Amino acid sequence: MNESLFINIIIGISIASTPLIFAAIGELLVERSGVLNLGVEGMMIVGALLGFVVQFHTGNPFLAVFAALLGGMAISSIFAFLTQFLLTNQVATGLALTLFGLGFSAFAGRGYTEETIVLIKAIHIPVLSDIPFIGPLVFSMNPLVYLAFFMVYLVWWFLFKTKQGLILRSIGDNHDAAHAIGHNVVRYRFMAILFGGAMAGVGGAFLSLVQVPIWGEDMTAGRGWIALGLVVFASWLPFRIILGAILFGGITVLQLHAQGFDIRISAQYLSMLPYLATILILVSLRIRLKNKTNRTVPNCLGRIFHSTS
Amino acid sequence: MSKVRFSSILKLTVLSTVLAFTSNVSADPVKAAFVYIGPTGDHGWTYAHDEGVKYAKEKLGDDVIMTTIENVAENSDSERVITSLARKNDIVFTTSFGYMNPTVKVAKRYPDVKFEHATGYMLEDNVSVYSARFYEGRHVIGKIAGRMTESNVVGYIASFPIPEVIRGINSAFLAAKSVNPDVQIKVVWVYSWYDPGKEADAANALIAQGADVLMQHTDSTAAMTVAEENGVYAFGQASNMREWGPNAQLTGIINDWGPYYADRIAAVRDGTWSSSDTFAGVQQGMVKFAPMNNNMPTEVKNEAMQAIIDLSMGKIHPFTGPINKQDGSPWLAEGETPPNFPDLLTMDFYVEGIDSQYPN
Amino acid sequence: MIKLIPRVENSKVMILLSPLLAMTLTALTALIIFIFILDDIKVSSVFFTLFVLPLTDSYLFPELLVKAAPLMIIGLGLSIGFRAGIWNIGAEGQYVIGGIAGGAVGLYFYNVEGFWLLPLMAIASILGGMFYASIAAFLRIRYQVNEILVTLMLTYVAVLFLSAMLQGPLRNPAGFNFPESRIFHDSAMLPIIWEGTRLHIGFIVAIILSFVAWFGIKKHMFGMQIKITGSAPRAAKFAGFNDNKTVLYSLLISGGLAGLAGFFEASGPAGQLTPGLPQFYGFTAIIVAFLARLHPIGILFSALLIALSYVGGEEVQIEYNLPSSITQIFQGMLLFYFLACDILIKYKVVLNKTKN
């Protein structure tokens, strides 16, 4: 394999993985607070539409990404309101959110299927980007790829290095106890859900602002569900999201390359690989961790909290 | 078929005959309905059908009332949708292969309604089938690709291994090879008709592996945009995709269903409709081309234009022997062209010279 | 400010009233949307087409039941697992495998008449669905791997497997090499229970199953076990209930029922195996289960309601040329309101002006 092909594959993997990283890291924080939001797909698609629309009208990528962020937040606020104030079941509300998001974006975006935009380009740093091999791999990625990595770090830092992060985790583990010592469970969870929505929105917008300069209904094509799977895969540990997303995106991209190289396996079975590999890796991780008790699962995940006092 | 079912169908038949009779007495406009597999905004397959519907509406004006329904999945829901349409319309067009059995089932229950099924093969007294010889379009773009590639690698993004897609790959390859003996074709299956992200991933993979001309048999404009970004060439699919690749799009295969739709609806109006089997190509104007890009050398453009002219006069056939199958066994003898059935309509093999393995 | 006070006992009145309130709110919101997007069409007739026509039309009403039947069967199975806190998100995959297994048996005995064929297909489909769900059960029990991820991933695998089967062994030999099976032989088709419609025996099975489940949950030991495991895992352990058994049985039941639904779909309205077999019944059934608050009899009604939104939605699209996304928006809203109004069952809403 020659060098430029290798670099191309890595860039391809980064493009396929980044939407998953954004959506999954947002959902990770949400789940750490004890909330399970299955509406990731719906929030992503709304972000994809809004990012595209704003980029189309303004041509300003900062505004476009910001709009996607706000869009994801806005639609997640429906979920937050219903689950936190009206105490609805989270699984069902999340599914409803996905339905609603897909329908809303398809309807609102009807006028934009004929349009195209200027993509957000990869950066080029003089000198650094020109270093052979290292340059293209480390210093010439898309700015949103770096942002995704930074968000993972930020979530890790927030969860494990700040007081608020500690509180959020304790709420996820035992909301009654956290409430008893005076923490505002609903407020923390509300904020976490909005953050999850914002990240899903940006992840969706990555598809329409970086990967392809088009908008089409259902263009997220199930990536929100994969992101949900990645959170579990990562055992709710932020940095493992990167690992999982790269593995998943990597196998997706590599199976396309394998077809190009004509590796003699049926394409259907090759296409199964990303899903089967995710399960296998998960099992092997568990085997290795077998003797350690797993303390990363938020105990209150999906449970409804209501304070009586 | 069991007795119970038969008698129930008979009842419905009588009922619908009466209904159809009463509705045909007055000189009402023809009611035509169209079932779409995707959204009209896909800019591929469904978009092209919808453009055809608009054309027919413009042409027939007040003589026709159009109903379209989009995003109808190819499952048991489609039978209900087709039935609902059959109850209210004079002619129903079902525009995807997967509607075949539901269409035939419903047609049996509504013998006075006309049905037109795209890309299938089941003909009935009140069911026509129609399809286009897209492989003729692939022949033209194959020639262009063979000339334009410098790396001698043409990338092909394919959806599902069905005869129509296989015909396209074989036709494009043979045409490319006829002008460039060193050309190779790399096929990547994405197992989706519409997934912009995955289509873009496939386009990127093919470009990374050296392809400098892309073809696609998927519906979105994603591959075209990737080609434009990477400075390689591509061809529009089903519609003119110039806007997404002003430099990349050399030309495009355009599915022009409009005249056919206008004709068939007019035939219902005039009472001349009868079941027919249409497999039309460049000659009949069902397969057309987007304007040739000016960045192509004149010789290449002329050669492509010549191929289009030859096809439209029926002078050439994209599959003209001698052609062997991929495993070396003979398919067509010197000068032989294949019949529609079974060779073209059931094609499930690559021709000799294609490196990729046939998906199965 | 508004305060929620838990009721000592679920309000019987609200159990009936809250769905009505939700429907009213949905209708009101839909009204506003329709007034906004429709210029020259009578909103009242859109409403009629959407809500009433599918219930009164002699063709659409049986179709409504056809659409509801698989949702009922899958929803029932899922509700049992959900009660125990077992999150089988991949019923869609088990449904597909069940459909393949049942269909494969039917195709193997093509042209063979026999009363035993349909039962054999049913058993194959149930076993197929059970087997597929048991992978998740095994991994959860043996390696503590979360079943949400495994069932979800296996759904994608099942869909690709279906595609591979239809490209290979199950492909119609006379089908022009399209990825579809043959149309099933008459003896492999489900009996029709309403002459002239597609309504098949699967609907009756769905009704029977829901009563069996209702009875089972009330009376049977396993019903108690899952209920307690779901609501109070520690108490369940003290009571000596085996957690692994709960995981295994709930996944086997939901998988088996999903598989059965796949067979009903293939041998009923579809009549053959096609790539269109998966149609999100597995996911939609999750919503159905929750709309019914996991109650077996409630599931009958919630499945009908969701089916109504599909069938009515199609009619509205046909009649008024509205995009299909309207149906999705509408379903989403319906669910939001239903879930929100349920709060009135468990809580009293009171206004108190003084903050404590």
Side-chain angles (χ1 to χ4, degrees), chain B residues 1-2 4-5 7-8 11-12 66-71 74-77 79-81 83-85 87-88 97-98 100-101 105 109 119 121 160-163 191 341 345-348 359-360, chain C residues 57-60 63 67 160 163 167 171-172 174-180 183 186 189-190 192 195-196 198 265 269-272 274 276 278-279 281 311 314-315 317-319 321 323-325:
Chain B
M1 179 165 287
S2 67
V4 180
R5 282 226 191 120
S7 67
S8 64
K11 264 186 215 161
L12 274 170
M66 299 285 196
T67 300
T68 59
I69 175 165
E70 59 172 6
N71 282 328
E74 290 173 312
N75 55 38
S76 57
D77 286 347
E79 188 179 329
R80 176 170 54 251
V81 171
T83 307
S84 280
L85 291 171
R87 294 166 84 198
K88 294 168 196 150
F97 175 77
M100 182 170 69
N101 290 316
K105 270 194 236 170
R109 279 187 276 127
T119 71
Y121 53 82
F160 293 94
I162 57 172
Y191 286 94
F341 182 81
L345 293 177
T346 69
M347 194 177 281
D348 65 341
N360 52 21
Chain C
D57 185 280
S58 64
Y59 173 71
L60 294 178
E63 281 294 318
K67 186 84 188 164
L160 286 162
S163 159
Q167 208 68 245
R171 186 168 69 182
N172 181 357
F176 287 48
N177 291 315
F178 279 91
E180 289 190 343
I183 294 183
D186 271 357
M189 292 284 289
L190 295 175
I192 297 293
E195 212 178 291
R198 296 199 289 171
E265 182 65 20
Q272 64 179 146
T274 72
Q279 42 187 303
Y281 279 141
V311 175
E314 282 165 8
E315 287 304 308
Q317 284 176 60
I318 291 171
E319 204 65 39
N321 253 337
S324 62
S325 44

Side-chain angles (χ1 to χ4, degrees), chain A residues 56-141:
Chain A
F56 176 73
H57 287 295
T58 68
N60 184 331
F62 289 99
L63 282 181
V65 172
F66 193 62
L69 190 139
L70 285 183
M73 247 190 208
I75 184 172
S76 71
S77 70
I78 301 175
F79 177 88
F81 175 73
L82 287 173
T83 57
Q84 297 312 302
F85 290 118
L86 299 183
L87 314 180
T88 60
N89 177 284
Q90 292 168 9
V91 173
T93 313
L95 286 168
L97 192 70
T98 289
L99 269 178
F100 182 78
L102 288 170
F104 169 79
S105 59
F107 186 75
R110 282 179 85 73
Y112 292 92
T113 54
E114 307 267 319
E115 310 297 349
T116 183
I117 52 161
V118 180
L119 285 179
I120 298 176
K121 296 268 168 15
I123 55 165
H124 186 92
I125 308 166
V127 187
L128 285 179
S129 294
D130 299 324
I131 304 170
F133 203 66
I134 311 278
L137 286 183
V138 183
F139 299 109
S140 311
M141 289 285 175

Side-chain angles (χ1 to χ4, degrees), chain A residues 114 211 217 257 259-260 262, chain B residues 71 189 201 209 243 355 357:
Chain A
E114 307 267 319
Q211 196 170 25
E217 57 187 81
H257 275 278
Q259 289 190 42
D262 201 27
Chain B
N71 282 328
W189 299 91
D201 284 343
Q209 292 193 14
E243 191 185 338
D355 270 343
Q357 186 209 13

